[in-house]
Amino acid sequence: MLVTERRERILAAARERGAASVAELAAVLQVSEMTVRRDIDQLADEGVVERVRGGMRLRAGHRPSTAPAVSAERRAIAEAAATMIEPGMAIGISGGATGLALARAVRDVADLTVVTNSLSVADLFSPPERADAPYMQTVVLTGGVRTPAESLVGPVAVRALEHLHCDLVFIDAHGLDVHAGITTMNLLEAETSRAFMATAREVIVLADHTRWGVVGLTTIADLSDIDRLITDDGLDDEARQQLAAHVGSLQVAARRTEASAGTD
């Protein structure tokens, strides 16, 4: 991986999630922690991130992007997940870049109720210009503590979810591991994601292949709690076998070439 590409991915993580640890970035990028620290130092010198203990965060004044670039992996996963959604359903979409890509893929589904803790997802479904849309959609936005990644988490969000029931809930995974399960770096986010899962008739986790083997600070749930995991075809055969043995159902979405994606 080129230095410029690596630093772009580090910056993308800052814009999407607000912050990231050196350990998680090293695992995702498959480089040493020392290499990641040097990249963070360079980005900090450029004024776009701030060094913090154990990692970095987006510099104050730089809002996380509400429309991050959609990678081929996220696009494939979102399109596969979208085929599960039908008019009249109530669905939950957690915060995260892949969840936002899914929201874009289903924003024209009629009579849809969307429960979310993501400000970006809520904005996508209910901007002012959509007020006269020829079909009914309902957006339920939880309250809670706002994170740098534009999600709402914590006890208020959990309380809002306690008495809701969704046909499908889509969780955007930070990390997946056989022993640690589904993980995240944010304790309040973990609590909120568990509450989301409790509302679901079926829990679908969205995770591109780079999430495999990444272990965040805290566990959201075991792999066995996943009804369906949707990933991309960058996941190697050994990882597929391990996941298939633990999750309810494993779905591998084929990434499109740049040429075919450009025909959208």
Side-chain angles (χ1 to χ4, degrees), residues 201-222:
R201 179 172 55 83
E202 185 172 356
V203 174
I204 302 98
V205 170
L206 312 176
D208 68 66
H209 71 277
T210 66
R211 305 302 181 181
W212 176 247
V214 175
V215 178
L217 176 65
T218 186
T219 294
I220 295 171
D222 294 331

Side-chain angles (χ1 to χ4, degrees), residues 34-46:
M34 182 62 70
T35 297
V36 172
R37 288 191 182 95
R38 285 198 297 266
D39 290 335
I40 289 174
D41 286 343
Q42 179 61 40
L43 291 170
D45 290 343
E46 293 172 5

Side-chain angles (χ1 to χ4, degrees), residues 33-201:
E33 293 190 6
M34 182 62 70
T35 297
V36 172
R37 288 191 182 95
R38 285 198 297 266
D39 290 335
I40 289 174
D41 286 343
Q42 179 61 40
L43 291 170
D45 290 343
E46 293 172 5
V48 292
V49 304
E50 293 178 329
R51 304 176 191 88
V52 297
R53 183 177 178 85
M56 57 87 191
R57 66 186 177 193
L58 195 68
R59 183 174 290 278
H62 290 261
R63 279 175 56 88
S65 172
T66 58
V70 180
S71 67
E73 292 86 356
R74 288 175 184 151
R75 182 191 295 271
I77 292 167
E79 290 177 351
T83 64
M84 302 178 63
I85 299 172
E86 300 175 355
M89 278 187 167
I91 65 170
I93 301 177
S94 74
T98 311
L100 183 57
L102 170 62
R104 291 194 189 100
V106 299
R107 69 194 301 259
D108 292 325
V109 175
D111 195 24
L112 194 65
T113 298
V114 178
V115 180
T116 187
N117 68 324
S118 166
L119 295 169
S120 300
V121 169
D123 286 345
L124 188 67
F125 279 97
S126 54
E129 66 269 19
R130 291 174 60 84
D132 296 325
Y135 44 79
M136 176 65 70
Q137 286 181 328
T138 301
V139 179
V140 179
L141 180 63
T142 71
V145 177
R146 185 173 184 167
T147 72
E150 301 287 279
S151 293
L152 301 175
V153 299
V156 174
V158 170
R159 181 63 62 87
L161 292 165
E162 282 181 349
H163 301 292
L164 300 181
H165 305 280
C166 296
D167 297 299
L168 307 172
V169 165
F170 298 89
I171 301 294
D172 198 332
H174 165 79
L176 293 172
D177 181 80
V178 168
H179 302 293
I182 317 165
T183 62
T184 180
M185 294 301 295
N186 188 308
L187 295 173
L188 293 179
E189 183 178 290
E191 180 185 22
T192 305
S193 292
R194 284 191 289 270
F196 245 127
M197 293 173 71
T199 72
R201 179 172 55 83

